[in-house]
Amino acid sequence: MRPWRSANLSRPIVRTLPRCRGLAGVAVFVAAWQAIVSGFHLPPYLLPSPVETARTLVQDAGLLAPHLAMTLVETLAGLALAVSVGISIAILMSASRWTRDLLYPPLVLSQAIPLMAIAPLILIWFGLGILAKVLIVAFVCFFPVAVNAYEGFRAVDPAYRDLLTTLGATRADRYRHFYLPAALPGIVAGLKLSATYSVLGAIVGEWLGGSRGLGVYMTRSLQSFRTDRLFGAILVVMALSYGLFTIVDLAGARLTPWLGRRTHA
Amino acid sequence: MIPLVDVVGLAKSFGDLRVLGCVSFRVNEGEAVGILGPSGCGKTTLLRILLGLESADGGRVSTQLERAGYLPQDVLLFPWKTAMENAELPLELQGLRREVRRGRVRQELPRFGLEEFADAYPHEMSGGMRQRLALLRAVLTGSRALVLDEPFGALDTLTRHRLQDWLTSLLDDLDRTLLFVTHDLDEAVSLSRRVVVLSRRPAHVVGEVAVSLTREERSNRLGRRVLLARDQVLSLLERGEEHAGQPV
């Protein structure tokens, strides 16, 4: 038992309430969806009801699973690459004014390139396999990580750097003990944004070419006018994005215990 | 006596702002010296120059404080490290193995009143505990000298007095040289064997007062000898106000 700990925030009711509100929000959305379909007597090929979509999802679970697995692999690999590249760029930019001036403008300009223009090129350069999709996800996701990490490095109190100098710390020591932990909340914030974009990046890549993935499943559903399958896939994509976001959020809270417990779902 | 710090005619400006005019003093090994001056007179700048974190514009500085145990004004504990991890940092940077450095920290924690808080984060500790932890980190550098910047300035009066008494007895045990800056007259008299008084900016040394008090006399802040030392230092501070900018 640690005498200095206050246990108030770990009470179950405090942790459960935000989740209840979140579920209530989803329930309202689903109810409104069902009401629109029933109220306007919309045919399933135009807008399937939530019940029909759920039924299709269950029926097609076996068909959907390999596509979901492929998208998940591409997304996670792309995210990992984005984090490595983003943090490396941030470290280089924070090393000196010279490297910052050299790297920051191209970094910002890279985000002005439309994804729908660069993605087909990446597919032409790297083929229709998994590599091209991973690179597209990394392209979509590295920017929030790089910018947030760099801003985290920049916002640190220089007095800590002086203290580490008096302790004989090397540059690598300074990054390990100070800059990286200090920038961690920013990196996690960037990663949360990236996690939500990442699935979208993989879907775009698959949509443009490939043999497996939720993007491929969606194009095939659309071409055969199976709107219920398309909606099912959209729900899976949403759940995947939300799941990744939540995992990053929880991992971030575990990695930054000094910031106290957060109240995200 | 071997001088640990020897400063002659030290000057420093930031642009047009002259911070240190002409500062000269010496600190011998084993001494406890307090540098007292009004707020904003350049005390922290002086310490930074002595620690090698800032360069001087003029004068001669000879110090052996580059690897001193330094307690900054804002203590600067790393919020993501526990008390144990903060304390062991100097030993980690010296390349000591984890079990060795943890053993050393555990050995020292009771003396600093932190034995129950090894796993606590700084935000879970009181202001006084954070000061003691930062001081433990400074002590564990193994340096012969401790350099403190306004050591207990941010604390309430009672906690400050308690920590000053605790530090006095700790220093008797540790046998280290102490150099600190403060704007608090009572703190200067309570912790040092010699007080160097600085004038207003641009600072110069107005004079020095030897404080020969026993540990008991120091803890009795209304004792006759303490008040006498206090008066001597105060009169130097007032002289510094009258002759600001020119060496007395």
Side-chain angles (χ1 to χ4, degrees), chain B residues 52-103:
Chain B
L53 298 171
E54 198 91 58
S55 59
D57 295 340
R60 185 168 56 78
V61 182
S62 162
T63 78
Q64 298 170 43
L65 295 179
E66 281 80 9
R67 292 283 180 272
Y70 173 45
L71 174 65
Q73 198 168 349
D74 299 325
V75 298
L76 300 184
L77 294 168
F78 294 92
W80 45 85
K81 289 181 185 284
T82 61
M84 168 64 79
E85 290 163 348
N86 266 292
E88 71 177 344
L89 182 60
L91 306 174
E92 192 176 351
L93 293 173
Q94 287 164 19
L96 266 69
R97 280 186 299 121
R98 184 186 157 98
E99 56 269 33
V100 174
R101 54 183 201 252
R102 296 236 154 164

Side-chain angles (χ1 to χ4, degrees), chain A residues 108-192:
Chain A
V108 176
L109 287 173
S110 73
Q111 296 306 296
I113 303 171
L115 182 62
M116 292 312 287
I118 192 77
L121 281 175
I122 293 175
L123 286 171
I124 291 168
W125 294 333
F126 297 96
L128 298 179
I130 188 170
L131 176 64
K133 276 64 164 204
V134 170
L135 291 174
I136 292 170
V137 173
F139 177 78
V140 172
C141 297
F142 85 101
F143 184 75
V145 176
V147 169
N148 278 283
Y150 173 64
E151 293 302 331
F153 293 152
R154 241 166 49 112
V156 297
D157 182 351
Y160 278 97
R161 192 190 53 212
D162 291 342
L163 173 72
L164 284 166
T165 303
T166 68
L167 293 173
T170 61
R171 184 185 279 260
D173 289 331
R174 287 208 291 266
Y175 271 97
R176 185 176 152 221
H177 290 287
F178 177 48
Y179 286 110
L180 277 170
L184 198 55
I187 293 171
V188 170
L191 194 54
K192 276 155 81 173

Side-chain angles (χ1 to χ4, degrees), chain A residues 212-233:
Chain A
R212 209 190 290 172
L214 288 173
V216 174
Y217 178 86
M218 286 162 107
T219 47
R220 287 178 187 165
S221 303
L222 201 61
Q223 282 158 6
S224 54
F225 297 100
R226 288 295 303 270
T227 317
D228 53 340
R229 279 186 174 174
L230 181 67
F231 268 76

Side-chain angles (χ1 to χ4, degrees), chain B residues 88-242:
Chain B
E88 71 177 344
L89 182 60
L91 306 174
E92 192 176 351
L93 293 173
Q94 287 164 19
L96 266 69
R97 280 186 299 121
R98 184 186 157 98
E99 56 269 33
V100 174
R101 54 183 201 252
R102 296 236 154 164
R104 288 270 298 280
V105 174
R106 267 192 209 100
Q107 209 178 334
E108 292 290 345
L109 282 174
R111 185 151 48 165
F112 286 77
L114 296 168
E115 64 270 41
E116 284 183 50
F117 292 87
D119 297 327
Y121 285 96
H123 73 269
E124 296 171 318
M125 303 165 80
S126 70
M129 281 155 63
R130 285 199 288 267
Q131 292 282 345
R132 291 201 300 268
L133 175 58
L135 198 63
L136 170 58
R137 181 178 63 190
V139 167
L140 285 171
T141 58
S143 165
R144 287 177 299 162
L146 292 173
V147 178
L148 320 182
D149 188 355
E150 306 270 7
F152 306 123
L155 301 174
D156 64 86
T157 311
L158 269 179
T159 311
R160 192 164 64 235
H161 285 174
R162 221 172 279 146
L163 282 176
Q164 285 164 357
D165 294 343
W166 167 80
L167 181 58
T168 308
S169 59
L170 181 77
L171 286 167
D172 287 347
D173 293 348
L174 290 174
D175 190 28
R176 307 264 177 110
T177 305
L178 173 68
L179 174 63
F180 69 98
V181 297
T182 182
H183 63 262
D184 183 345
L185 197 155
D186 293 324
E187 186 159 87
V189 172
S190 163
L191 290 178
S192 42
R193 306 288 183 271
R194 183 157 59 90
V195 181
V196 176
V197 180
L198 294 183
S199 71
R200 271 197 293 131
R201 200 171 57 218
H204 61 268
V205 175
V206 184
E208 296 184 3
V209 174
V211 185
S212 311
L213 299 169
T214 61
R215 195 193 295 183
E216 289 70 31
E217 283 172 331
R218 278 172 202 279
S219 62
N220 179 9
R221 286 171 176 78
L222 294 173
R224 194 181 65 82
R225 281 166 59 78
V226 170
L227 291 177
L228 200 65
R230 205 176 170 281
D231 277 351
Q232 284 179 296
V233 176
L234 187 60
S235 65
L236 276 182
L237 267 177
E238 285 167 349
R239 267 174 68 192
E241 285 290 300
E242 288 163 19

